């Protein structure tokens, strides 16, 4: 494991788009900077509670991605941009999105989040990591 405290990505575990995003991060994060928790998992619910969010409210309308970094919880486009920055390399180009007003970025984010099940589908249950990746999932 890395010698730094990894950031935690909370994701909608039944969303195909979110699961694809997690797989993308795993492929491009060989150092293990990020770890993961499905919003529907016990660990995900505990992290939400610890940061003052009601798991029931999130479960009713789950965000596709939240990022816990340095004790702070990021959501919407801020979470995605910080993840891209954390991946480094060519993925940092995505941080140019910060030139857009936050309201615009978040509107785009919410539009995609609102339609993600229709466009990408959903699974009956959360994905299970393979044994090699199990340590990166809470």
């Amino acid at each position: 494991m890395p010698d730094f405290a990894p950031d935690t990505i909370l994701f909608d575990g039944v969303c195909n788009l979110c699961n694809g995003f997690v797989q993308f991060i795993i492929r491009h994060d060989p150092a293990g900077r990020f770890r993961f928790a499905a919003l529907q998992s016990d660990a995900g619910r505990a992290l939400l509670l610890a940061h003052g969010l009601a798991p029931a409210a999130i479960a009713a309308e789950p965000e596709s991605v939240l990022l816990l970094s340095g004790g702070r919880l990021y959501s919407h486009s801020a979470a995605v941009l910080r993840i891209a920055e954390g991946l480094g390399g060519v993925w940092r180009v995505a941080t140019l999105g910060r030139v857009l007003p936050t309201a615009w970025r978040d509107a785009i984010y919410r539009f995609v989040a609102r339609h993600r099940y229709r466009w990408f589908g959903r699974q009956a249950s959360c994905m299970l990591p393979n044994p090699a990746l199990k340590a990166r999932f809470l």
Side-chain angles (χ1 to χ4, degrees), residues 65-118:
V65 176
L66 297 168
L67 174 68
L68 178 58
S69 177
R72 185 168 173 205
L73 194 62
Y74 297 89
S75 65
H76 301 88
S77 64
V80 174
L81 292 174
R82 288 187 66 88
I83 292 166
E85 184 176 26
L87 290 175
V90 70
W91 307 114
R92 283 184 179 237
V93 170
T95 63
L96 291 175
R98 288 187 178 128
V99 301
L100 294 174
T102 302
W104 292 7
R105 293 189 331 247
D106 287 349
I108 294 166
Y109 178 96
R110 285 186 178 105
F111 179 79
V112 172
R114 193 170 40 251
H115 295 93
R116 69 188 186 272
Y117 293 147
R118 186 171 350 133

Side-chain angles (χ1 to χ4, degrees), residues 12-89:
D12 181 352
V14 298
C15 168
N16 287 337
L17 174 62
C18 304
N19 282 303
F21 186 58
V22 167
Q23 295 301 319
F24 172 86
I25 294 166
I26 288 168
R27 281 193 311 275
H28 295 91
D29 180 31
R33 172 180 164 76
F34 297 104
R35 62 185 180 174
F36 308 93
L39 289 165
Q40 296 87 348
S41 70
D42 291 340
R45 288 192 297 273
L47 285 169
L48 292 173
L49 280 172
H51 288 85
L53 297 173
I58 298 295
E61 189 64 37
E63 293 291 337
S64 27
V65 176
L66 297 168
L67 174 68
L68 178 58
S69 177
R72 185 168 173 205
L73 194 62
Y74 297 89
S75 65
H76 301 88
S77 64
V80 174
L81 292 174
R82 288 187 66 88
I83 292 166
E85 184 176 26
L87 290 175

